[in-house]
Amino acid sequence: MFGSIWGYFYTSFLRYWLKWFIRQVTGKCELQRICAGYKPGAPRTTKAEYSLKNSKSKLLRAAVNVEEDGLEKYLDLVMREKNVKTQRDPTFKVNLKLCLLQITGYRNLFTSVEELRKETFDSDKVQHEEMLLKLWDLLMPEVKLESRVTKQWGDIGFQGDDPKTDFRGMGMLGLTNLVFFSENYTEEARQVLSHANHPKLGYSYAIVGINLTEMAYSLLKSGALKPHFYNTVSGRPQMQHLHQLFCYLVYKFDKFWVEEEPESIMEFNHYREKFHDNIKIQLLDPAVALTMTDSPRSN
């Protein structure tokens, strides 16, 4: 209760006067101090985002929604609004632009991800079918698929004879993630598949991959991935960056699963949530960077 009252008092009254006082002392507005006082990454961009969203200026609040083609013009308006002179602070515009590219890029990334998630796998679309068959070829290069609808799909972790039914929750996002991992980290993907087919510690590779796609999606939607992307992407986060995060999740979950040695696959939900909690804890670190240590390589 007290915390809520204090938060309201601070954001509505005290913060404004504190900012005014510090500007009188330093001669710099809050955004200038943030851009000059922090290196590129999550601490700087997160603080800039908070400052913009909580500004009393309508112009500044709207800055987090500006598209890239109108960014230069908007930066000039912000500098005029805050009375920032390029001669006195030559790096401010460049630094703020980077922050805004990351902030608006994150929002646009979610929009693109949502569109892909809502795209249903369609057997009548050649591109969809080709991606599915490509997944098989990448993971099982020595085994020929007997037919499009076959029990063989279970060998890479699908539930039924036709994988299309398993993509309902995450749509084409699930398949695209699986193909990206298999194509860009082929050795690792096959290694994970071999663990998934272990007689005692095994799990359904493809189904777990789709489940981890949902984890990545929910973290993106909640905003929890902002520190990660702000630290690892210098500019606008793109779809490939979410695919890279998925690769990290699959690879790390496999290691986690093997190390935990669950009694059976029936305990999957418990260990999935435990892994999810570990990831969320990592994302609280301002310096977080959930990346594969090795560069992508294919066979």
Side-chain angles (χ1 to χ4, degrees), residues 7-18:
Y8 175 78
F9 176 75
Y10 175 76
T11 56
S12 300
F13 304 102
L14 184 59
R15 183 172 178 274
Y16 171 79
W17 290 108
L18 184 61

Side-chain angles (χ1 to χ4, degrees), residues 81-276:
E81 173 88 0
K82 303 306 292 182
N83 195 28
V84 178
K85 306 298 182 183
T86 303
Q87 296 85 349
R88 296 181 181 178
D89 194 344
T91 64
F92 173 72
K93 185 176 181 179
V94 174
N95 292 336
L96 183 59
K97 180 179 180 178
L98 175 58
C99 291
L100 289 176
L101 284 172
Q102 292 181 316
I103 293 167
T104 59
Y106 188 94
R107 185 194 70 243
N108 292 338
L109 172 60
F110 177 73
T111 299
S112 299
V113 168
E114 182 73 343
E115 290 176 357
L116 189 58
R117 185 187 71 84
K118 290 181 177 180
E119 184 179 347
T120 304
F121 181 91
D122 187 348
S123 298
D124 293 329
K125 290 186 177 180
V126 176
Q127 182 184 10
H128 291 189
E129 284 292 310
E130 288 179 345
M131 285 186 67
L132 182 58
L133 295 175
K134 183 178 184 179
L135 177 63
W136 175 271
D137 290 339
L138 287 167
L139 293 173
M140 305 288 282
E142 305 299 325
V143 181
K144 182 177 176 59
L145 200 63
E146 296 173 354
S147 63
R148 168 61 179 79
V149 179
T150 171
K151 293 185 181 298
Q152 284 180 284
W153 290 111
D155 294 341
I156 61 173
F158 286 104
Q159 290 181 327
D161 297 350
D162 191 345
K164 71 177 184 180
T165 59
D166 292 325
F167 295 118
R168 289 173 182 168
M170 287 289 109
M172 285 301 294
L173 179 62
L175 177 56
T176 306
N177 273 339
L178 287 168
V179 172
F180 185 93
F181 181 47
S182 301
E183 188 170 28
N184 292 278
Y185 297 94
T186 308
E187 182 180 328
E188 290 85 350
R190 292 175 184 170
Q191 180 186 63
V192 171
L193 178 61
S194 69
H195 293 164
N197 288 332
H198 189 277
K200 182 181 178 181
L201 297 176
Y203 54 87
S204 299
Y205 171 78
I207 296 301
V208 169
I210 294 170
N211 194 289
L212 292 173
T213 290
E214 191 282 327
M215 183 184 295
Y217 168 78
S218 65
L219 289 170
L220 180 71
K221 184 177 182 179
S222 70
L225 290 180
K226 285 182 178 182
H228 161 72
F229 285 128
Y230 292 168
N231 284 328
T232 60
V233 183
S234 181
R236 288 182 180 272
Q238 306 289 334
M239 184 69 74
Q240 70 183 56
H241 298 120
L242 185 76
H243 296 329
Q244 289 282 359
L245 174 75
F246 169 78
C247 296
Y248 175 89
L249 292 177
V250 174
Y251 189 67
K252 291 297 183 180
F253 177 80
D254 177 68
K255 293 174 72 70
F256 170 79
W257 181 268
V258 172
E259 290 170 359
E260 291 289 325
E261 298 185 344
E263 288 296 323
S264 74
I265 190 62
M266 300 302 291
E267 296 184 82
F268 172 76
N269 287 338
H270 167 72
Y271 286 98
R272 191 263 191 197
E273 287 309 306
K274 186 175 180 180
F275 177 74
H276 192 190

